[in-house]
Amino acid sequence: YAKAAFAYASEQNATDSWSSALNLLSAAVQDEAFSAFLTRPELTPAEQVSLFAKVLGEDQTAAVSNFLTLLAENNRLALLPEISAEYEQLKSQNNNTVDVVIESAFPLTSVQEQLLAHALEKKFEAAVNVSVEVKPELIAGVVIRAGDQVIDDSALNKLEKMRTRLLA
């Protein structure tokens, strides 16, 4: 579903508007009250789509409405968060950017963050969007997550590997 939405949005030069619509729809589905109302068995797919039209307001387009109708008819509205995430990944790949999360045991200085970003740009051969999370449980070092790739250079990981070798 994400690939089809991205392909269509790309053809229409509307990837950003689709991105914001999918993010909004994803957030709506993740809201417990909205989700509980949406999954009531007496609601028809058309009624479900009209609920989303109210959420989107003026951002509602015929194409997004048709996409939602397709999802509703196939009982796939609950997958909107995953579809949105996959869409964002496709959009990043198309823009030659990679979203990177750096988990560090300690806060990084701006210089350290820039050095890591530059090294990651070389590694991935793409622009990187870096976000940093401080996780003291790592003890020392960093864990870098980019898509489905993980680079774990934390002390916690090294200790776990040492423990495994000692117990083997």
Side-chain angles (χ1 to χ4, degrees), residues 81-119:
E82 290 83 3
I83 293 169
S84 179
E86 180 70 21
Y87 180 93
E88 291 303 319
Q89 194 170 25
L90 290 168
K91 185 178 164 191
S92 289
Q93 288 173 354
N94 189 59
N95 293 336
N96 201 27
T97 60
V98 177
D99 292 326
V100 176
V101 177
I102 300 173
E103 298 171 355
S104 173
F106 301 99
L108 297 177
T109 66
S110 60
V111 172
Q112 290 171 322
E113 194 173 322
Q114 288 172 351
L115 285 171
L116 276 170
H118 185 66

Side-chain angles (χ1 to χ4, degrees), residues 136-154:
E137 63 268 16
L138 296 177
I139 304 170
V142 295
V143 175
I144 300 169
R145 299 179 192 278
D148 60 354
Q149 293 185 5
V150 177
I151 302 168
D152 192 340
D153 192 37
S154 66

Side-chain angles (χ1 to χ4, degrees), residues 38-165:
L38 182 70
T39 55
R40 291 181 19 219
E42 65 268 15
L43 285 182
T44 65
E47 291 169 329
Q48 290 174 323
V49 171
S50 71
L51 286 172
F52 283 111
K54 292 175 185 170
V55 169
L56 287 173
E58 60 191 45
D59 290 338
Q60 174 80 2
T61 64
V64 171
S65 182
N66 290 341
F67 182 70
L68 288 171
T69 300
L70 178 69
L71 292 176
E73 288 173 350
N74 291 298
N75 294 319
R76 298 288 189 259
L77 289 171
L79 296 178
L80 274 166
E82 290 83 3
I83 293 169
S84 179
E86 180 70 21
Y87 180 93
E88 291 303 319
Q89 194 170 25
L90 290 168
K91 185 178 164 191
S92 289
Q93 288 173 354
N94 189 59
N95 293 336
N96 201 27
T97 60
V98 177
D99 292 326
V100 176
V101 177
I102 300 173
E103 298 171 355
S104 173
F106 301 99
L108 297 177
T109 66
S110 60
V111 172
Q112 290 171 322
E113 194 173 322
Q114 288 172 351
L115 285 171
L116 276 170
H118 185 66
L120 291 168
E121 284 175 349
K122 283 183 179 179
K123 177 175 176 45
F124 295 118
E125 298 176 351
V128 295
N129 299 323
V130 175
S131 63
V132 178
E133 297 176 4
V134 177
K135 297 205 172 178
E137 63 268 16
L138 296 177
I139 304 170
V142 295
V143 175
I144 300 169
R145 299 179 192 278
D148 60 354
Q149 293 185 5
V150 177
I151 302 168
D152 192 340
D153 192 37
S154 66
L156 181 63
N157 181 46
K158 290 176 183 175
L159 288 171
E160 283 295 322
K161 284 182 180 177
M162 187 184 313
R163 178 180 175 269
T164 303
R165 275 187 248 134

